Amino acid sequence: MDDVAGCFEFYADLAEKLDGKQKAPVSLPMETFKSYVLKETIDVVGLITPWNYPLLMAAWKVAPALAAGCATILKPFELASVTCLELADICKESEMKHIGIDTEALKEHFGKKVMELEEEKKIVQQESDPLLHEVKNLSVNIDGLAQKSQDVRGQKMKALEAQILDLKKKQENQVQLLKQKEKSKETAKKLQAEIQYIKAQKVQLQHKMKQEAEQFRQWKASQEKELLQAAVARSFCKVIYIYDQDIHALASYLIKLHAKCS
């Protein structure tokens, strides 16, 4: 309780200091203008307090709000609201004493008002009973209409459900078609990749065939050259052989001729 009282005293001092700071001048670089601070309330504030230290928590929020000139609406925790209700009663008594109102007369006045309200309530009740009876009769008719309307709505709902099922089937078919299309695209991509691979293999084979053909041509040329060289060599040897035989025959003839002449 001392902390609660200290909280209200602290913010009461701040309220007096706040009044002293109203319309405090603010220095500006231009002398043609004058400026000052005017702090105003924000009217009504809503305050919510927890369950722990409910009265002190309420004081922490109510005191600064009242010091700033604001009306407050306090919503305490429902399981710890007794002390906050006592605080409200104290505030009410303080306000009545502050403005000089007789609480007993005020209670009597409000008591009369309550009695008048009770009488008005009875009159309204008497007038409302026939109306309630009519409302019940109308409700029976309305229930019949509501049942018919419900049947019509049920039929419409069934028709809509059938349409939804049809749309769902169409959607599933579309999904299947899309999946097949995606599979076809994937198959086409694979085939395209295989075609590109075959083309690459074909180019490599053509290049290799060209190399093999060139090597075969070179080998064939070298073989033909070797055969030609061998044939020329054999022909030359034969010519030499024939030439040697002719020389020997000529020599024998000359020897025989010389013998006859001598």
Side-chain angles (χ1 to χ4, degrees):
M1 293 302 297
D2 292 338
D3 292 337
V4 174
C7 179
F8 278 99
E9 290 177 356
F10 174 77
Y11 284 105
D13 293 338
L14 287 183
E16 293 177 356
K17 293 178 181 179
L18 181 63
D19 291 337
K21 292 180 180 180
Q22 289 290 67
K23 295 186 178 181
V26 178
S27 60
L28 294 175
M30 294 180 289
E31 296 180 356
T32 54
F33 294 96
K34 293 183 179 180
S35 178
Y36 59 89
V37 176
L38 179 62
K39 296 184 178 181
E40 298 180 349
T41 64
I42 57 174
D43 296 333
V44 182
V45 294
L47 310 175
I48 300 174
T49 55
W51 60 271
N52 52 336
Y53 302 101
L55 183 58
L56 182 59
M57 292 285 186
W60 287 352
K61 296 187 177 185
V62 172
L66 294 177
C70 300
T72 61
I73 298 175
L74 177 62
K75 192 274 177 187
F77 185 65
E78 58 269 17
L79 299 182
S81 59
V82 175
T83 53
C84 293
L85 293 174
E86 290 294 330
L87 176 61
D89 290 337
I90 293 170
C91 292
K92 187 187 295 183
E93 291 178 3
S94 300
E95 183 180 6
M96 289 180 179
K97 289 179 181 178
H98 181 68
I99 61 178
I101 296 176
D102 187 359
T103 56
E104 294 296 330
L106 188 62
K107 288 181 179 179
E108 184 177 355
H109 173 73
F110 279 109
K112 291 180 180 180
K113 287 291 183 182
V114 170
M115 294 297 293
E116 291 175 0
L117 290 173
E118 288 292 335
E119 291 295 329
E120 291 180 0
K121 182 179 178 181
K122 290 179 181 179
I123 294 171
V124 171
Q125 186 72 31
Q126 291 175 358
E127 293 177 353
S128 63
D129 288 340
L131 294 174
L132 290 174
H133 182 69
E134 292 180 2
V135 169
K136 287 181 180 179
N137 293 331
L138 289 173
S139 64
V140 173
N141 296 328
I142 291 171
D143 289 339
L145 294 174
Q147 183 64 36
K148 292 181 180 179
S149 177
Q150 186 176 0
D151 294 338
V152 173
R153 289 182 179 177
Q155 293 176 359
K156 290 182 178 180
M157 288 295 294
K158 289 181 180 179
L160 289 173
E161 288 177 357
Q163 292 178 2
I164 291 170
L165 290 174
D166 186 34
L167 290 173
K168 187 176 180 181
K169 290 180 180 179
K170 290 181 179 179
Q171 184 179 5
E172 290 176 353
N173 292 332
Q174 291 293 329
V175 171
Q176 293 295 328
L177 289 174
L178 288 173
K179 288 181 178 179
Q180 292 177 0
K181 187 176 180 181
E182 291 295 330
K183 289 181 179 178
S184 299
K185 287 182 178 179
E186 292 178 358
T187 305
K189 288 180 180 179
K190 290 181 179 179
L191 290 173
Q192 190 67 26
E194 291 179 358
I195 290 170
Q196 294 296 330
Y197 176 74
I198 291 170
K199 286 183 178 179
Q201 292 292 323
K202 181 181 178 181
V203 171
Q204 292 179 0
L205 289 173
Q206 288 177 348
H207 181 68
K208 190 173 182 180
M209 287 174 68
K210 287 181 179 179
Q211 290 180 349
E212 294 291 337
E214 181 64 22
Q215 291 177 2
F216 178 75
R217 187 188 63 79
Q218 293 177 1
W219 176 81
K220 183 178 180 182
S222 63
Q223 291 294 322
E224 290 177 351
K225 185 177 180 181
E226 290 178 359
L227 291 173
L228 181 60
Q229 289 176 354
V232 170
R234 286 195 299 271
S235 299
F236 182 72
C237 291
K238 186 176 182 181
V239 170
I240 293 173
Y241 176 73
I242 294 170
Y243 180 71
D244 288 343
Q245 288 181 351
D246 293 339
I247 292 174
H248 286 296
L250 182 59
S252 299
Y253 177 74
L254 289 174
I255 292 170
K256 290 179 180 182
L257 183 62
H258 180 70
K260 287 179 179 182
C261 293
S262 59

